[in-house]
Amino acid sequence: FLEGSLFEPVAGERFDLVVSNPPYVAERDGAELPPELRHEPASALFAGPDGTDVLRALAAGVGGALAPGGALLVELDPRQAGAMCAWLGEAGLVAVEVHRDVAGRQRVVSARKDG
């Protein structure tokens, strides 16, 4: 295990697959969390005022961490799916798609590095 911020501990390495369940809860939504999540550390849940701080950084950095043809899967709040797709497209990733969970919510975004 390596500890650090996103790809910092593995700088220079390339991966075929990156799977992420980053913090994505908006600080303003903290009071609405279900009871089973209230025991989690804040750093595992909250990512800035709108919950996208880590998602933005992930989208900006994942292209450099993926091998050609490599893929990303990231869990997020359904309200963030459209923005994440846009950020991944801006970062040069392709085949950006949204996948629904069993309740029908847009819960996972996938993308691939061309090549």
Side-chain angles (χ1 to χ4, degrees):
F1 291 97
L2 301 172
E3 184 177 347
S5 180
L6 293 175
F7 303 106
E8 181 181 285
V10 292
E13 294 188 45
R14 299 295 173 261
F15 300 92
D16 294 322
L17 179 64
V18 172
V19 178
S20 181
N21 181 9
Y24 58 78
V25 177
E27 291 169 353
R28 65 178 176 263
D29 295 339
E32 300 171 19
L33 287 177
E36 62 269 18
L37 292 181
R38 294 201 180 127
H39 71 280
E40 296 286 343
S43 62
L45 299 171
F46 300 105
D50 65 357
T52 62
D53 289 359
V54 177
L55 293 172
R56 271 188 236 130
L58 179 64
V62 73
L66 288 173
L72 165 73
L73 294 163
V74 60
E75 180 181 349
L76 40 61
D77 182 309
R79 297 172 291 184
Q80 299 161 336
M84 187 63 170
C85 288
W87 296 328
L88 291 169
E90 290 167 8
L93 275 70
V94 298
V96 179
E97 295 181 47
V98 177
H99 306 274
R100 296 182 180 276
D101 64 15
V102 294
R105 295 175 295 220
Q106 296 180 332
R107 181 60 71 188
V108 172
V109 171
S110 66
R112 190 173 48 78
K113 183 173 182 174
D114 211 6

